[in-house]
Amino acid sequence: MSVNVQQLTKIYGAQKAVNEISFSVKKGEILGFLGPNGAGKTTTMKILTCFIPQSSGKAEVCGYDVEQHPMEVRAKIGYLPEHNPLYKDMYVKEYLAFVAGLHHISDKKSRVGDLIEMTGLGREQNKLIGALSKGYRQRVGLAQAMLHDPEVLILDEPTSGLDPNQLVEIRSLIKQIGQEKTVIFSTHIMQEVQAICDRVVIINKGEKVADDPIEKLQSRISGNTQVLVEFKSKIDESKLKQIPNLLEYKRLERNRYQLISNQEHDLRANVFKFAVDHQSVILEMYKENYTVEDVFQKLTK
């Protein structure tokens, strides 16, 4: 495993910011690391990147213990923190060349050029960082995190401040990077998680409450599933009760209904048969799945 966390705990005075959490991330995997404000996400990331020590437990990056081999861990990690620390009085290209020098990259010019192109900074490369928009500053931070070609990328709110077009570009870039590297990705934007991540870890009040592949998160909400259907014309609502496995229904507007069943049953075939039997026309019908946001709210409230 590229990242392995076992019983990790961080205590500040009487408060346990992180309480015995465990998870692992393999190469070629993008992990969504989620939680409400104050849940312990940033604290965990700071431990993994050797900014602060843990109180107990163990964390390894590429086989190196973060406490015993911090320099080796730092060489393996690219880190974009939540508050992107940049030298605002430096030019973009100058700053990236400076960072490349810190990493002792042999062909600095070529590597800096590659990252400028990869992160879409070509038109901004000769501007002062302080003159950039927040979105472009995020791109500069992402570029510096990847300059030394790390095996593990830890990104804390990397899409903050990006406009919709930039979001699409950075999503694509992160997914591309995630095919070859390990990425731990923290965000409050649930759509980002569904678009980018392979797996999700959710923590709440310092404790892990979920660790699932993205497609299995729905099973975290036990209970019912729902089908939304719109008929072309008015139907006799009392006859909806004839649909097999229907638990309840709700009229949303005009001829549009929400039909509820338990998780084992998909109502769509039965609804279609109902429409045929009653000579009704279905304009629209789809099964509404639970989203990452639904799971997140349920587990962290």
Side-chain angles (χ1 to χ4, degrees):
M1 292 293 176
S2 295
V3 176
N4 189 27
V5 174
Q6 297 295 328
Q7 302 296 308
L8 195 67
T9 299
K10 180 63 179 179
I11 301 174
Y12 294 104
Q15 181 186 4
K16 280 189 176 180
V18 178
N19 187 17
E20 297 186 354
I21 67 169
S22 300
F23 64 90
S24 58
V25 197
K26 62 185 179 181
K27 183 178 180 180
E29 186 174 30
I30 302 177
L31 176 74
F33 194 50
L34 310 180
N37 290 331
K41 304 186 304 296
T42 298
T43 298
T44 303
M45 289 181 164
K46 286 182 176 180
I47 293 171
L48 288 175
T49 51
C50 307
F51 274 76
I52 59 174
Q54 68 266 40
S55 300
S56 62
K58 188 175 183 179
E60 292 181 344
V61 176
C62 299
Y64 293 106
D65 187 286
V66 298
E67 197 169 27
Q68 297 178 14
H69 303 284
M71 296 307 294
E72 288 83 355
V73 168
R74 287 175 178 140
K76 298 289 185 181
I77 281 181
Y79 180 40
L80 176 61
E82 181 180 4
H83 302 291
N84 191 358
L86 299 170
Y87 293 112
K88 296 181 182 179
D89 57 347
M90 294 182 75
Y91 295 95
V92 172
K93 195 172 182 179
E94 176 191 19
Y95 169 72
L96 293 177
F98 168 70
V99 175
L102 294 177
H103 287 295
H104 305 291
I105 295 172
S106 55
D107 191 353
K108 292 193 296 183
K109 186 176 180 180
S110 176
R111 183 61 180 164
V112 168
D114 289 344
L115 265 298
I116 285 175
E117 181 179 356
M118 188 183 299
T119 53
L121 286 166
R123 296 176 60 183
E124 315 298 322
Q125 61 182 309
N126 295 315
K127 290 185 180 180
L128 284 171
I129 292 175
L132 299 178
S133 66
K134 185 176 180 181
Y136 276 109
R137 289 183 194 177
Q138 286 297 94
R139 291 183 184 222
V140 175
L142 191 57
Q144 68 81 23
M146 297 189 296
L147 262 175
H148 59 299
D149 196 24
E151 294 182 35
V152 177
L153 266 178
I154 296 181
L155 310 175
D156 197 354
E157 302 283 346
T159 57
S160 174
L162 301 182
D163 65 37
N165 292 330
Q166 292 172 333
L167 278 174
V168 172
E169 293 170 3
I170 296 301
R171 278 182 193 173
S172 177
L173 176 59
I174 293 172
K175 291 191 75 170
Q176 179 185 340
I177 294 167
Q179 293 176 5
E180 300 178 353
K181 302 182 184 299
T182 302
V183 179
I184 298 178
F185 176 86
S186 172
T187 182
H188 285 111
I189 305 171
M190 296 299 116
Q191 294 90 338
E192 291 296 303
V193 178
Q194 291 184 280
I196 295 175
C197 300
D198 304 308
R199 200 171 109 243
V200 172
V201 167
I202 301 176
I203 63 173
N204 187 39
K205 298 178 181 178
E207 298 186 353
K208 185 176 75 173
V209 294
D211 183 352
D212 293 287
I214 195 79
E215 66 273 7
K216 291 186 178 179
L217 268 182
Q218 181 180 342
S219 65
R220 281 277 176 176
I221 301 182
S222 59
N224 301 328
T225 58
Q226 57 189 22
V227 167
L228 297 183
V229 59
E230 182 179 0
F231 298 99
K232 185 176 181 179
S233 56
K234 186 177 180 180
I235 63 168
D236 184 348
E237 288 188 14
S238 64
K239 293 182 179 179
L240 283 174
K241 298 176 182 179
Q242 300 172 9
I243 298 175
N245 303 316
L246 178 69
L247 296 179
E248 58 179 295
Y249 67 88
K250 178 181 179 182
R251 186 181 180 187
L252 302 178
E253 55 182 350
R254 295 184 181 178
N255 304 314
R256 189 176 178 85
Y257 293 86
Q258 179 187 66
L259 310 177
I260 308 295
S261 67
N262 58 36
Q263 282 191 337
E264 302 91 64
H265 299 108
D266 186 341
L267 284 178
R268 287 174 293 182
N270 294 338
V271 175
F272 182 78
K273 187 175 185 302
F274 168 85
V276 172
D277 292 344
H278 292 82
Q279 299 181 341
S280 298
V281 175
I282 293 175
L283 295 179
E284 180 184 31
M285 179 169 63
Y286 61 92
K287 183 179 178 182
E288 189 169 67
N289 292 319
Y290 291 110
T291 65
V292 173
E293 186 171 2
D294 295 325
V295 180
F296 180 86
Q297 290 179 343
K298 183 176 179 66
L299 295 177
T300 60
K301 277 186 176 178

